[in-house]
Amino acid sequence: MRPYTLSDFDFTLPEALIAQHPAPERSSSRLLDGTGPAAQDRIFRDLPSLLKAGDLLVFNDTKVLKARLFGEKASGGKVELLVERVLTGNQVAAHMRVSKKPEPGATINLVGDGGFRATLLGRWPDADGTLFRFVLSNDAGDDPYTLMERHGHVPLPPYITHTDSAEDAQRYQTVFARAPGAVAAPTAALHFDDALLAQLEAQGVQRASVTLHVGAGTFQPVKTENIAEHQMHSEWYEVPAATQQAIAACKARGGRVVAVGTTTVRTLESWAQSGVASGDTRIFITPGFAFQHVDLLVTNFHLPKSSLMMLVSAFAGYEHIMDLYRHAIANQYRFFSYGDAMLLQRKTA
């Protein structure tokens, strides 16, 4: 296999194809069927016709936090926090956008009633960490989840240009979101609605869940031309025992494991690689990676030069992915988080 560089994963995307709002109905998005040699244009609600009884859909059940908080320092300087992880003791680890960083011990008054504030403790996860550790508190003693839900904003991706709305609070969340902790949605799963899930179940397609709390690093482009030098961000994942059993049973009956989203792929393959069912992962999947669990992948269209472009190229084959992306752009598919989807099959050696 030839070596790949960062430039191999670049492409020109017309700005008009970056979806700013979701489709009117979740399952009315387009679906580019890339399971065969030639691309086929479908609608997402056609997915049941491409799956069969005995297949297993694996979803990421993470729930997006209203993780963007606004406030000001005692001096009046504006501050924006993006909570990346909720820790113990009402503490959070967050990105901080501010003109001059406050010193540890400083209190930031956040927008919200009841004396909502953040007290800076230091950096995280260590003294040189890129994130900051805060205690979130209010006069009523509410926990960080309650405070964010009440006062926070939906952390829309940087390429979505409008401020968050009631539509985003509903649609930038899967219909089965359960475990709060993500700052970005597992976007391939946004296309599933209750009617489609019921149809798949009636057809005999089974369902299981993993959890991976998607971090803001998912939007960061790879910057090193030698992709082996890229340092992946860390995200917490869990593969429950019931899901482990469901995958084993699926394989035993000859079914296919269908990962919904790249976050599900990263979770399952982290577990396969490490043998650890719960913990932090920095898995970086590039062409040449040996997949152990996933047979089919439902995914959205990804950013140029991103680690996710490398993942889908590893999964379905680099040339095939580039052909599919050329087809998608020529046929005006909608890209990124609120965009359309594709169905991919794992390339066999």
Side-chain angles (χ1 to χ4, degrees), residues 46-339:
D46 296 337
L47 181 65
S49 69
L50 304 174
L51 303 180
K52 58 190 179 185
D55 287 344
L56 177 71
L57 280 165
V58 185
F59 294 95
N60 180 4
D61 66 6
T62 189
K63 186 174 184 178
V64 179
L65 302 168
K66 290 185 176 177
R68 183 163 280 132
L69 304 171
F70 297 95
E72 59 181 38
K73 299 183 291 184
S75 63
K78 301 299 182 187
V79 182
E80 179 183 334
L81 303 182
L82 179 64
V83 175
E84 179 88 14
R85 193 174 294 203
V86 177
L87 310 172
T88 58
N90 285 354
Q91 295 180 27
V92 299
H95 304 266
M96 176 166 50
R97 183 181 293 178
V98 63
S99 57
K100 183 181 179 183
K101 290 188 169 53
E103 295 296 321
T107 295
I108 296 164
N109 292 312
L110 296 170
V111 175
D113 54 24
F116 184 27
R117 56 197 171 266
T119 303
L120 177 62
L121 300 180
R123 290 187 177 266
W124 189 87
D126 51 41
D128 299 315
T130 55
L131 300 180
F132 294 85
R133 191 160 52 97
F134 291 91
V135 172
L136 295 187
S137 59
N138 69 347
D139 296 344
D142 291 320
D143 63 56
Y145 293 109
T146 302
L147 291 168
M148 283 187 281
E149 182 59 33
R150 188 178 300 150
H151 304 300
H153 293 263
V154 179
L156 293 174
Y159 45 75
I160 291 179
T161 56
H162 63 266
T163 55
D164 64 310
S165 66
E167 177 189 52
D168 298 306
Q170 181 197 13
R171 294 295 301 276
Y172 196 64
Q173 194 80 271
T174 65
V175 296
F176 44 75
R178 180 195 62 83
V183 299
T187 55
L190 296 178
H191 304 285
F192 289 83
D193 54 30
D194 291 331
L196 183 60
L197 290 169
Q199 184 182 350
L200 287 160
E201 184 178 356
Q203 187 178 309
V205 176
Q206 300 196 9
R207 177 174 157 190
S209 294
V210 297
T211 305
L212 182 136
H213 291 324
V214 194
T218 193
F219 302 116
Q220 293 300 313
V222 178
K223 295 178 180 176
T224 56
E225 188 64 20
N226 178 358
I227 60 176
E229 295 174 358
H230 176 63
Q231 295 293 312
M232 281 293 285
H233 56 287
S234 177
E235 293 169 318
W236 183 89
Y237 74 93
E238 181 178 23
V239 184
T243 298
Q244 299 176 36
Q245 293 160 10
I247 290 170
C250 176
K251 297 289 188 183
R253 64 176 173 262
R256 299 170 298 177
V257 173
V258 186
V260 179
T262 55
T263 60
T264 297
V265 175
R266 295 183 69 240
T267 303
L268 293 177
E269 298 300 336
S270 294
W271 164 53
Q273 201 174 66
S274 66
V276 177
S278 178
D280 283 272
T281 181
R282 291 180 178 269
I283 193 170
F284 185 25
I285 297 176
T286 58
F289 183 88
F291 292 88
Q292 296 185 54
H293 285 313
V294 182
D295 302 304
L296 291 171
L297 170 60
V298 181
T299 184
N300 279 22
F301 294 93
H302 303 294
L303 292 159
K305 294 186 174 181
S306 65
S307 62
L308 302 181
M309 276 298 293
M310 298 169 194
L311 185 154
V312 295
S313 297
F315 186 79
Y318 173 79
E319 297 296 347
H320 185 51
I321 286 294
M322 289 303 170
D323 285 344
L324 291 174
Y325 270 64
R326 282 189 284 271
H327 177 94
I329 291 168
N331 289 274
Q332 298 195 308
Y333 275 71
R334 300 164 74 246
F335 273 65
F336 306 158
S337 293
Y338 276 153

